[in-house]
Amino acid sequence: MSDNVSHDNHFDYIIIGAGSAGCLLANRLSADASKRVLLIEAGRKDDYHWIHIPVGYLYCIGNARTDWLYNTEPDVGLNGRSLRYPRGKTLGGSSSINGMIYMRGQARDYDTWAELTGDPAWRWDNALPHFMLHEDHYKGADAMHGARGVAPHLMQDKNVPYQKILRHRNAGGEWRVEKQRLRWDVLDAFAEAAQQAGIPATQDFNRGSNEGVGYFEVNQKDGWRWSTARAFLRPTCLGRPNFELWTSAQVCKLVVEAQADGAKRCTGVEVWTGSEHVTAKATRDSASERGLIGEVLLCAGSIGSPQILQLSGIGPGALLQQHGIEVQQDLPGVGANLQDHLQIRSVYKIHADKAWGLSLNTMAASMWGKARIGLEYALKRTGPMSMAPSQLGAFTRSTPDQPYPNIEYHVQPLSLDAFGEPLHSFNAFTASVCNLNPTSRGTVQIRSPRFADAPAISPNYLSTAEDRQVAADSLRLTRKIVSQGAMAKYKPEEFKPGVQFQSDEDLARLAGDIATTIFHPVGTTKMGRADDSMGVVDSHLRVRGIRGLRVVDAGVMPLITSGNTNSPTLMIAEKAAEWIQAGI
């Protein structure tokens, strides 16, 4: 492993982005000792201590050490507001700064992908083994979950390339899933109130239908954050002589060349190392294997990947020409179809005879309280420092006539005006709710031909009547849950948005005032059938019209999953690795 650019810049596989998909791909592809693999990461190493402490997301988001520091364009649906838009910029990518929630979504998500792409490989039944292959569930393996050292049928089938290539024959178990190491009385009461409101209890959100209320499972190990860098890069990947890692190295553009038959091929990447421009070639060029063609795998995420494609002349022709970029392939879908989960944050003040510790607001309000929290984590790896940003979850229907659970709650024993702001001085909890299947669509577009300039991110939240209605209905459902008897002992008092707002119009407008992203951008390089004019990649993630190039990240999702998006991205990468190794 080397963090420095090597003298031999020819590789079989070049992976752009050491985030969730990139780390897994690097692990799988470098398992074949005959292949030389390069992983390029624009950020630094993940040696910042707050990356690994679960509550450290508070210090990683908005920090140039670990975050790209993007902001959205002013959004009409948010009443002109612009949002901070965190994306991980370090080894592990967003898995090093995210909420650590393990969530697959719903079976219907993947069945719909199969319909939209015409490829049954994406059906739930065919996706599930690729979730299980890398999963290490704390309860052990069963029909729905994987565990370390237990090989699912992908590894048992002698005809599957993974069984032949992966060095660790007991494949699986890198991606640790654990129960949370804390609970809160007020969250237990909210869960009971949700059941009184008609939402069933559940012990597992990841069996195909995530309907119910319960504590989230998280990607942690013994109280530490478990990022994809820790799971897939070290120690296995970093110890392989055929693997090379470049950090603090930003890809400027892809190298696209015309072939003898007139087709175009991605043959490498131009990289800025901070001091010089270097070209890495996706071709093996040695005395024994001269000119063998490799692949470039774009794993820079739903913001970074369309930006790199557009800078390379692959994208909407008019946009590229506007910035003086030669059009290599006119693909109007590059940077289109942006989807995200917008969470509407309802805040409720709570009251009880014993105020201290009722919520994190008062527990962390004094030096004594902070010291107690720190000591508990140091001794036991439990307590608030082991917290994911959201602890309790619920999936349900915004109205009874919805055919399936279409909203998700993230409930927290704390409150603040905005992410990054101080906690309120009063005890409170926050019940954030998001529309799982938004119909609003946004864009990611370059602002200039300079790779260092951040793209314009325009989510267009709440831009459809359907999304505004779900927003209003969701706020009413939150009020219904909080009004149940189980919450009465806390005397909940609605602080945001405020009980004076009652009509659909009022609630939709207020949603625009208090809602924020839950950091799930997808869809900007979507999969599609050959006749889908907005499709960017085919069902095997190959970029249309450009040989030797795939996109492997959340951008390929044609529709957003019904839940948190990190683990579905790993499933996508697992499938891609199998196809790449099989040469398809």
Side-chain angles (χ1 to χ4, degrees):
M1 184 276 280
S2 173
D3 292 328
N4 301 313
V5 176
S6 67
H7 296 294
D8 180 4
N9 287 344
H10 292 79
F11 301 87
D12 294 279
Y13 302 115
I14 297 175
I15 303 167
I16 303 171
S20 294
C23 287
L24 187 147
L25 273 182
N27 180 292
R28 299 303 191 237
L29 298 181
S30 65
D32 182 350
S34 71
K35 304 296 185 184
R36 193 160 184 252
V37 178
L38 170 64
L39 177 61
I40 304 172
E41 170 55 40
R44 295 160 58 183
K45 291 181 180 179
D46 59 337
D47 52 5
Y48 181 48
H49 67 283
W50 282 118
I51 290 174
H52 307 292
I53 299 171
V55 81
Y57 67 89
L58 292 169
Y59 306 99
C60 292
I61 292 176
N63 182 346
R65 171 71 178 76
T66 49
D67 184 359
W68 281 94
L69 303 180
Y70 293 133
N71 289 280
T72 68
E73 299 298 288
D75 199 304
V76 173
L78 301 184
N79 304 322
R81 289 189 301 134
S82 174
L83 298 180
R84 180 183 290 177
Y85 216 67
R87 295 284 87 199
K89 188 181 182 183
T90 184
L91 291 183
S94 292
S95 79
S96 290
I97 69 171
N98 70 1
M100 296 165 280
I101 292 172
Y102 182 70
M103 189 65 60
R104 296 171 177 170
Q106 298 174 11
R108 64 180 179 85
D109 299 330
Y110 304 100
D111 292 344
T112 302
W113 289 8
E115 294 173 7
L116 292 172
T117 61
D119 190 342
W122 292 106
R123 289 188 57 82
W124 167 253
D125 289 346
N126 294 322
L128 181 59
H130 292 86
F131 280 108
M132 296 170 62
L133 182 59
H134 52 258
E135 183 184 17
D136 181 20
H137 198 276
Y138 75 100
K139 290 183 178 179
D142 63 18
M144 302 296 292
H145 291 287
R148 192 161 194 83
V150 179
H153 69 73
L154 280 175
M155 289 301 296
Q156 296 166 355
D157 185 347
K158 301 295 184 182
N159 296 315
V160 172
Y162 266 20
Q163 202 280 338
K164 297 179 180 179
I165 293 176
L166 288 188
R167 294 174 182 173
H168 46 301
R169 293 309 182 200
N170 288 331
E174 298 101 337
W175 194 229
R176 182 65 175 171
V177 180
E178 292 188 349
K179 67 184 297 184
Q180 295 185 66
R181 301 168 71 89
L182 78 168
R183 50 164 295 278
W184 293 81
D185 289 342
V186 69
L187 297 187
D188 292 344
F190 188 95
E192 185 180 352
Q195 293 172 60
Q196 291 172 349
I199 303 173
T202 184
Q203 297 297 317
D204 189 349
F205 288 120
N206 290 296
R207 305 183 75 83
S209 173
N210 48 19
E211 186 165 18
V213 59
Y215 279 87
F216 289 121
E217 293 175 336
V218 291
N219 294 120
Q220 294 181 8
K221 191 168 187 177
D222 300 326
W224 300 98
R225 174 189 290 274
W226 198 242
S227 71
T228 56
R230 298 187 74 177
F232 299 104
L233 289 188
R234 65 176 64 87
T236 308
C237 208
L238 299 184
R240 293 171 175 167
N242 60 319
F243 173 74
E244 192 161 321
L245 171 66
W246 296 355
T247 54
S248 301
Q250 186 169 352
V251 171
C252 309
K253 62 182 292 188
L254 308 173
V255 178
V256 178
E257 299 178 353
Q259 305 296 288
D261 61 0
K264 293 181 178 180
R265 184 175 193 93
C266 182
T267 59
V269 298
E270 292 184 9
V271 182
W272 172 247
T273 67
S275 59
E276 62 177 334
H277 286 277
V278 175
T279 299
K281 303 290 287 184
T283 55
R284 175 67 69 86
D285 190 12
S286 65
S288 60
E289 297 179 288
R290 186 165 302 277
L292 293 182
I293 300 298
E295 279 198 63
V296 174
L297 307 168
L298 187 50
C299 307
S302 295
I303 308 302
S305 287
Q307 179 188 21
I308 292 171
L309 289 170
Q310 291 170 8
L311 290 171
S312 308
I314 303 168
L319 174 68
L320 306 183
Q321 291 168 350
Q322 173 188 336
H323 294 294
I325 297 173
E326 180 184 357
V327 179
Q328 298 287 354
Q329 184 72 14
D330 187 355
L331 289 178
V334 174
N337 193 48
L338 174 62
Q339 301 159 61
D340 190 14
H341 288 143
L342 182 73
Q343 62 174 352
I344 307 170
R345 300 172 60 251
S346 293
V347 175
Y348 287 83
K349 294 182 178 181
I350 51 178
H351 309 273
D353 294 336
K354 184 181 178 181
W356 191 89
L358 198 59
S359 71
L360 188 62
N361 292 11
T362 54
M363 184 178 286
S366 66
M367 291 302 297
W368 178 84
K370 291 175 182 176
R372 180 172 170 174
I373 290 170
L375 184 62
E376 180 179 359
Y377 185 75
L379 295 177
K380 301 179 181 179
R381 297 290 180 267
T382 60
M385 286 189 70
S386 72
M387 283 173 57
S390 298
Q391 298 79 52
L392 186 76
F395 291 82
T396 189
R397 295 160 170 79
S398 57
T399 55
D401 59 340
Q402 291 289 338
Y404 40 72
N406 69 317
I407 58 173
E408 176 184 9
Y409 280 94
H410 293 77
V411 192
Q412 308 151 322
L414 54 86
S415 67
L416 35 73
D417 286 332
F419 193 87
E421 297 295 320
L423 296 172
H424 289 142
S425 59
F426 49 82
N427 274 311
F429 70 89
T430 301
S432 297
V433 62
C434 72
N435 179 356
L436 290 171
N437 310 116
T439 54
S440 299
R441 297 291 183 269
T443 59
V444 175
Q445 297 183 335
I446 54 172
R447 301 176 189 269
S448 79
R450 296 181 293 274
F451 72 90
D453 292 346
I457 304 169
S458 302
N460 295 329
Y461 295 119
L462 300 174
S463 59
T464 66
E466 295 94 329
D467 288 357
R468 291 191 292 273
Q469 186 62 56
V470 171
D473 292 338
S474 299
L475 286 168
R476 288 199 182 91
L477 181 58
T478 304
R479 289 171 172 169
K480 178 182 177 181
I481 294 171
V482 175
S483 70
Q484 301 299 312
M487 292 296 298
K489 60 185 176 183
Y490 293 104
K491 305 183 182 80
E493 175 188 349
E494 185 173 325
F495 178 67
K496 285 187 177 181
V499 294
Q500 66 271 33
F501 303 107
Q502 293 291 333
S503 70
D504 286 356
E505 183 179 357
D506 282 347
L507 291 175
R509 185 180 68 255
L510 265 294
D513 285 337
I514 64 177
T516 187
T517 175
I518 205 167
F519 319 139
H520 296 164
V522 309
T524 51
T525 52
K526 75 166 188 171
M527 295 185 280
R529 296 174 184 261
D531 60 356
D532 182 352
S533 63
M534 297 300 287
V536 176
V537 299
D538 66 14
S539 66
H540 284 180
L541 313 183
R542 297 169 293 205
V543 175
R544 289 183 176 180
I546 306 291
R547 295 176 182 172
L549 177 63
R550 301 189 205 225
V551 180
V552 187
D553 56 37
V556 305
M557 297 183 188
L559 290 175
I560 195 168
T561 54
S562 300
N564 310 67
T565 54
N566 190 63
S567 290
T569 301
L570 289 179
M571 180 276 293
I572 290 169
E574 196 81 83
K575 279 187 169 291
E578 184 180 342
W579 290 329
I580 292 164
Q581 288 175 333
I584 57 177

